[in-house]
Amino acid sequence: MQPAAVSLLIVATAGALAPPRLFFDLKTTNAAALGRIEVELAAFDSLPRLVENLRLIAANERAPRCSFDGSRFRHAPQGPQYKWSHEFEGAGNRPAIEPSLLKTDAAPSCRHDVFGGSYYGYRWNDDAVLLTTPRVGPGAHKARFSFVRVTSSPPAWQERLLVNSYVLGVCAPGADEVLQGLCELPADAEPRIERAGLLDVADDCLVPAPADARRRRPPRYAVAATSNTQVDIEEHCLWDVEQEAEWRERRFLQVAD
């Protein structure tokens, strides 16, 4: 008698995937160029949903709901921690993935304990600048992120700057100098992101949004007037449980009979 076929879900090895690489072009509100920051999202295997949330926003795949274009940094040079942590957020602090799904990434296996608390994701390895997103507070599991100048901070701070955050990526050399320029700006020259995007456009490291996502997803409520059209677009742009299941099956899981 032939044994019944059994479907097995096998997690794909991290080596089969390449971490996404993003760029952020910075300038001031008076159009002065500040430079480019490039980031490798090294936590793509340990924090896949949080990394994909950032990638979707940076690539404008969920625009106009989610985008970094024109986003301003929190500009408060008089604040002591601002010198080491440069915070910014996407339009309206809106995530590209349901917050309830983003929270599931916080697994004990990617938790790192330090003096004063813990953080998740990529483990700091004397990297100069890291890209993080908060784990607690009003910006948690949304579209708020920070470039953290770890090695430039006082030795007593450094890794402690990462407490209560998810560490998503490592910035390329030169990022520290660009961020130092933000600290030296006059008060009337606020820094902002002119443009963000993918460095490797052809590299589908995770999974793109289905081409027919808007057509196959009905709105949650009827759109009766033109004033509500934007809301309808925003509803269709949000990653939900249905896309989560498709993403896992297509990219991270292999089905074997």
Side-chain angles (χ1 to χ4, degrees):
M1 183 176 65
Q2 294 291 335
V6 179
S7 294
L8 301 176
L9 293 180
I10 305 173
V11 179
T13 61
L17 303 174
R21 296 197 306 143
L22 309 177
F23 71 86
F24 297 84
D25 289 332
L26 311 186
K27 71 175 186 179
T28 65
T29 49
N30 58 10
L34 296 173
R36 166 175 286 197
I37 295 178
E38 297 181 357
V39 187
E40 181 174 278
L41 300 181
F44 76 105
D45 53 346
S46 57
L47 301 174
R49 297 169 189 83
L50 288 158
V51 165
E52 180 70 349
N53 179 56
L54 172 57
R55 190 192 72 85
L56 287 168
I57 300 173
N60 277 324
E61 292 185 22
R62 292 298 184 269
R65 184 185 195 278
C66 311
S67 175
F68 287 133
D69 294 353
S71 296
R72 298 188 179 187
F73 285 85
R74 181 169 60 89
H75 191 59
Q78 68 278 9
Q81 192 169 349
Y82 174 84
K83 186 174 182 180
W84 316 116
S85 183
H86 305 269
E87 184 181 274
F88 62 98
E89 64 183 39
N93 196 21
R94 293 185 292 264
I97 297 178
E98 289 279 6
S100 60
L101 295 175
L102 295 177
K103 293 177 182 179
T104 63
D105 269 356
S109 59
C110 64
R111 171 174 169 165
H112 312 295
D113 294 319
V114 298
F115 182 78
S118 62
Y119 65 93
Y120 290 76
Y122 175 80
R123 180 66 183 263
W124 178 61
N125 187 29
D126 292 326
D127 309 282
V129 182
L130 299 177
L131 190 152
T132 71
T133 188
R135 190 172 64 88
V136 297
H141 309 106
K142 293 184 179 180
R144 184 172 297 176
F145 303 90
S146 296
F147 291 117
V148 183
R149 302 171 60 207
V150 186
T151 56
S152 293
S153 68
W157 290 24
Q158 295 198 343
E159 198 171 14
R160 293 174 60 187
L161 291 172
L162 308 175
V163 167
N164 290 330
S165 68
Y166 300 105
V167 179
L168 303 182
V170 181
C171 296
D176 191 77
E177 290 76 7
V178 173
L179 295 169
Q180 176 61 35
L182 270 64
C183 300
E184 300 170 356
L185 290 173
D188 61 345
E190 295 183 352
R192 66 179 181 180
I193 298 172
E194 178 184 18
R195 191 168 63 100
L198 300 175
L199 280 171
D200 304 311
V201 178
D203 179 20
D204 171 24
C205 76
L206 296 182
V207 63
D212 60 342
R214 293 194 180 189
R215 291 194 297 273
R216 68 183 174 82
R217 290 191 61 210
R220 297 181 186 176
Y221 45 84
V223 179
T226 55
S227 61
N228 290 333
T229 301
Q230 181 66 38
V231 177
D232 179 47
I233 292 175
E234 292 180 2
E235 288 292 332
H236 278 359
C237 285
L238 188 63
W239 178 302
D240 62 6
V241 176
E242 181 182 351
Q243 289 192 31
E244 161 82 359
E246 180 176 343
W247 170 69
R248 287 179 57 82
E249 180 179 355
R250 288 173 56 189
R251 191 59 183 176
F252 282 93
L253 300 177
Q254 299 173 348
V255 179
D257 293 329

